[in-house]
Every structure is written in structure tokens, then in C-alpha cells.
Amino acid sequence: MAFTEFCRLDERSVIEYVKGVPGLWSKLELDDDNIITVKEIGDGNLNFVFVVANSVIIKQALPYIRCIGESWPLTKDRAYFEAMALQEQGRLTPHHVPQVYHFDPTMSLIAMRYLEPPHIVLRKGLIAGIQYPLLARHMAHFMANTFFFTSLLFRSTLDHKREVAKFCGNAALCRHTQQVVFSDPYQISQYNHWTSPYLDPDAEALRQDDLLKLEIADLKSKFSERALALIHGDLHTIIDPEFAFYGPMGFDMGAFLGNLILAFYAQDGLVHQPNHSKAYKEWILQTIEDTWNLFYDKFIALWDEHRNGAGEAYLPAIYNNPEVQLLAQKRYMTDLFHDSLGFGAAKMIRRIVGVAHVEDFESITDAVKRATCERKALNLAKMLLKDRRKFEGIAEIVSAIRQF
Ligand code: ADP
Ligand code: SR1
Ligand code: MG
Ligand code: MG
């Protein structure tokens, strides 16, 4: 088979495919018998993921959403944007991003480095109660680097616009996010679901809350109209950036913090499992605080270091004294903080009443317990969406999380 036209791969044809791409063959770590093992390990919502010879990942996008089926089409061009994003993020933060070996636009397929065990996706690690002492540092570093170096703080207007244009074509994925994050949770949708009947009144209350609707409209507009930096677009762990585009940095920061907050509230439903304890909840809260603080310091350090570079956002001739520089940075970071809280809250809400939920809550088998945990997260998220501008620092957010 020449694979000159798009076709869906399976565990057999993947081997044939890999054999036909010399650069890939050489990446396989084969034993003496040259036997190639293949396993489809995709557990995400959208795509098919094969691990070949325990050394190479083949990720293929089909023209629909895997977890729903062909009734919900989604362009397979998403693989192109994922490959571009991985390459750009890998250039900026090579230690935290899997290397792309090969991209095939016809087959909508990416071959990349297999992150072998003991690596597991973060969500599974959080459910298992594993502490990652470097998580906050690595995520802060990844976000500070990709945001700063792809923003107008670092780039000239011409460079920035050229890069923005490269990702404009990922419009279908942006539209998808608009629907599932900013629209569906606030209206009746065939795709919405929640822990019923316990959360029926909570879901109804979202659809009746005019203040919440005003806030979500603000965030939807920022998501759709502010091309600040290259963002991951679906950030929990660093793999899987098929939603990448130039958008608001707070969308990624919020997604990451929001996911940690969901993990925090899921703990009470998981207490019967080993490793789940008060200490684990404290570690999650500390990670939330550290992520923001380390990100803040790193981002400002990059800004200071490149203050007199090509970036056209704050021209040195205008922001020419320490006082005005400090004020500009303070305002920028405060806006980013409030955006992050709003987007984080929106992400939390969609994961409780929207189409795609999180394993953290889904793995709580007792529906009453699950609903209790979810309601706490939902109430915190509603408060954050409405009152986010009142918060001045991440320590206040941690206190608020404890109170709900
Ligand atoms: P989707 O877009 O469908 O969510 P993901 O990129 O999240 O797909 O991949 C689904 C799963 O495949 C991940 O949860 C992870 O277990 C596995 N996976 C994906 N990429 C890699 C990789 N580079 N190394 C190891 N495992 C991977
Ligand atoms: C049907 S919604 C599927 C979701 O999974 C992806 O990871 C994105 O978050 C998307 O919204
Ligand atoms: Mg995924
Ligand atoms: Mg994905």
C-alpha cells in the first residue's frame, strides 16, 4: 500500500506505513528478531494513537470526534496544527515536548517520540495520588517560554502577524472550543450531561444566571479575538496541542489551574483509594500556588531581559523609566491573572455539565459522592467567574478553594 490517499490505519497497516518511511524505521528500537509490536493506546477524546515497537508514537486524526463518532465531524487538518505547534513548542522548550519525527498531511498523521513508562498522563497520576515535585516548575517554564517568545513583547509586529497567520487555519478547532466551553454549558444542548438527578438544579441554575452569561461572553470574545501568543488550547499536560492557535495566554494557564482544582475536589470521592490523604490535597494546592508564582517570576525575568529587543508592544522610548515599566508589567500580569481565573472557571464548568468530562470525577463510582464533589467545584467556578477581578494573588485563590 502506498498511502497516497487518506485511509484509516489499524494495528496491521501501521507497520506497513512505518516500513515505508525510512526516517521512521530507523527510530524503532527492535530486538534481535526484528518483531514489531503495535498497540492502539488512544484514551483521549479525539484521535487514534499507536505505539510502535515501544519507541515511536503514530497519532492519526480521522475526520470526526472519536468519542462521539461520525455524527460529529471535525476536520482532520487538526493534525497539521498539532505538528506545527509541537515543533514550535519543542523549539522553545525542548526538554518538555516530545520530538516530532515525521508529519504526513495526506494521512493526517504525526510520528513522534514515545514517552515510555514510567511516564503516564498527568490526569492518571493525579487520580493515583502521585506527587510530582517538579510539576509546577516545568509547567511554569513551558508556559512562560512559549507565551513570551511568541508574543509581541518579544517579536516585531511583522513577525508576530506572520506567525499568527500560520495558525489562523485552525478555525474549526477554535469554533469547537467556543461551542463546548463558552456556549453549550449555558444552553440546552443534546451533548450536555451531568450527574443526574443530583445536579439537575445546578445545571438549570447555570442556564438562568444572567451575570454568569455576561462574564462568559467577555471570555468568549477574548478567546476568539485576542491573538496574544501561541497557546496550546487544551492544556493539561504538554502533549496533544491540536487546538493550538494565537489566543489569550490565560486560556492555557486557566486550563492547567482549573484541572488541578478539579483534581483537588475529586479527592474527597477518592479517599478510599491508597495515596489519597489530606497531605495530597495540600500538595495540589501548593502546586497551584507555585505554578502561578514561578510562571510570574519567569515571565517577568524574560521581559526584563529582552526589554530592549525587537518586541513592539512596549517600546523602550516610551516605557523608559523603572516606574512606568513596573506599572506596565503589573497591569499586564494582573490582567493575565484575572483572565486565567475566568478561563479556568469556564473549563471547570464545562467538565461538569458539558459534553466531555474528566476521569478525576468519572472514576468516583458513587453518584451521590461524585455530585457532592462536583457541586463544590461548580460553586467555586461560578464565584471565580463573577468575582475574579476582586482577587489580588494566587494565595487568595487557594484560601477560596479551601472554603468551598
Ligand atoms: P487525543 O487528542 O485523542 O486526546 P492524546 O494526544 O491525548 O490524544 O493521546 C491519547 C493518549 O495516547 C494519551 O493519553 C497518552 O496515553 C498516549 N500518548 C499520546 N502521545 C504520546 C506520547 N508521545 N508518548 C506516550 N504516550 C502518548
Ligand atoms: C466532544 S468534546 C472533546 C474535548 O476533548 C478534547 O480534549 C477537547 O477538550 C474537546 O473539547
Ligand atoms: Mg488528549
Ligand atoms: Mg487532543
Side-chain angles (χ1 to χ4, degrees):
M1 212 175 181
F3 301 105
T4 48
E5 280 178 15
F6 178 80
C7 66
R8 177 185 169 161
L9 291 176
D10 57 25
E11 290 186 354
R12 266 223 327 247
S13 51
V14 161
I15 300 185
E16 223 183 304
Y17 182 86
V18 171
K19 281 182 176 168
V21 184
L24 272 184
W25 182 254
S26 63
K27 297 283 181 201
L28 299 186
E29 287 162 21
L30 297 175
D31 57 21
D32 294 344
D33 302 328
N34 268 11
I35 293 174
I36 305 177
T37 54
V38 179
K39 197 164 181 241
E40 205 279 315
I41 56 161
D43 59 358
N45 291 330
L46 262 58
N47 303 291
F48 288 80
V49 178
F50 301 89
V51 53
V52 185
N54 287 321
S55 31
V56 169
I57 285 284
I58 300 286
K59 177 169 177 178
Q60 187 178 36
L62 301 189
Y64 57 85
I65 294 181
R66 175 182 182 159
C67 68
I68 305 283
E70 292 180 49
S71 64
W72 194 337
L74 190 64
T75 174
K76 55 187 168 52
D77 290 350
R78 60 188 187 265
Y80 166 74
F81 295 101
E82 175 162 356
M84 272 218 302
L86 281 171
Q87 278 158 345
E88 178 68 341
Q89 292 161 345
R91 185 179 71 77
L92 295 167
T93 319
H95 297 307
H96 299 325
V97 181
Q99 191 190 343
V100 173
Y101 297 145
H102 169 74
F103 170 64
D104 183 336
T106 306
M107 292 290 288
S108 300
L109 173 160
I110 302 169
M112 67 181 114
R113 182 184 153 190
Y114 174 49
L115 304 170
E116 67 288 347
H119 293 102
I120 52 171
V121 284
L122 177 61
R123 196 179 299 288
K124 295 209 186 290
L126 293 172
I127 293 169
I130 300 172
Q131 295 194 16
Y132 296 96
L134 295 176
L135 178 62
R137 183 165 296 279
H138 288 174
M139 291 305 293
H141 185 74
F142 170 78
M143 286 191 273
N145 263 10
T146 54
F147 296 167
F148 181 80
F149 288 114
T150 62
S151 76
L152 203 58
L153 294 169
F154 177 73
R155 281 186 174 147
S156 72
T157 301
L158 294 182
D159 286 351
H160 183 67
K161 288 275 184 227
R162 190 193 58 236
E163 295 303 312
V164 170
K166 284 188 190 166
F167 282 87
C168 275
N170 210 9
L173 278 275
C174 292
R175 186 166 183 261
H176 171 91
T177 299
Q178 283 185 1
Q179 178 187 341
V180 298
V181 177
F182 300 105
S183 301
D184 279 358
Y186 308 91
Q187 65 184 354
I188 302 274
S189 158
Q190 60 170 314
Y191 298 113
N192 287 344
H193 63 100
W194 51 82
T195 304
S196 188
Y198 310 104
L199 293 188
D200 289 359
D202 304 75
E204 166 73 11
L206 288 176
R207 297 194 295 271
Q208 303 304 333
D209 193 328
D210 293 343
L211 273 181
L212 212 58
K213 289 179 186 177
L214 289 176
E215 295 299 341
I216 208 72
D218 262 7
L219 291 166
K220 187 179 189 177
S221 149
K222 276 196 171 162
F223 173 81
S224 314
E225 294 154 5
R226 289 215 74 187
L228 273 185
L230 177 63
I231 64 168
H232 179 288
D234 196 17
L235 188 64
H236 189 226
T237 31
I238 295 169
I239 61 165
D240 195 13
E242 67 199 304
F243 285 84
F245 75 112
Y246 273 73
M249 303 170 189
F251 189 74
D252 274 2
M253 175 59 81
F256 184 67
L257 298 181
N259 269 301
L260 287 176
I261 299 173
L262 293 179
F264 174 89
Y265 285 115
Q267 294 306 309
D268 288 343
L270 297 168
V271 278
H272 57 284
Q273 294 184 10
N275 300 332
H276 287 279
S277 59
K278 225 168 153 244
Y280 195 63
K281 286 170 81 172
E282 288 304 313
W283 174 79
I284 297 178
L285 294 179
Q286 193 60 53
T287 303
I288 290 171
E289 202 166 333
D290 290 350
T291 302
W292 173 259
N293 288 336
L294 290 167
F295 166 81
Y296 191 113
D297 291 349
K298 171 88 184 159
F299 193 88
I300 291 293
L302 289 172
W303 188 338
D304 286 342
E305 188 185 339
H306 297 278
R307 209 170 40 217
N308 298 314
E312 291 188 42
Y314 293 87
L315 298 174
I318 301 174
Y319 301 89
N320 55 3
N321 67 61
E323 289 75 35
V324 70
Q325 279 164 18
L326 212 63
L327 284 174
Q329 290 181 335
K330 178 96 182 65
R331 178 175 290 204
Y332 194 98
M333 297 310 276
T334 301
D335 283 352
L336 175 48
F337 181 58
H338 292 153
D339 279 4
S340 304
L341 299 180
F343 285 124
K347 285 282 229 174
M348 289 166 66
I349 292 172
R350 65 81 57 121
R351 294 296 187 195
I352 297 168
V353 301
V355 55
H357 289 211
V358 287
E359 207 178 323
D360 313 53
F361 286 138
E362 297 300 287
S363 54
I364 303 171
T365 45
D366 180 325
V368 175
K369 269 194 195 154
R370 182 166 69 248
T372 306
C373 296
E374 289 174 326
R375 184 175 294 112
K376 287 182 190 171
L378 204 53
N379 287 338
L380 176 87
K382 284 166 65 173
M383 183 280 288
L384 285 181
L385 253 183
K386 291 178 189 169
D387 293 342
R388 64 188 184 281
R389 295 176 199 85
K390 293 182 187 156
F391 288 90
E392 289 186 6
I394 193 74
E396 291 174 18
I397 299 300
V398 167
S399 303
I401 297 170
R402 285 185 202 282
Q403 280 164 29
F404 272 78

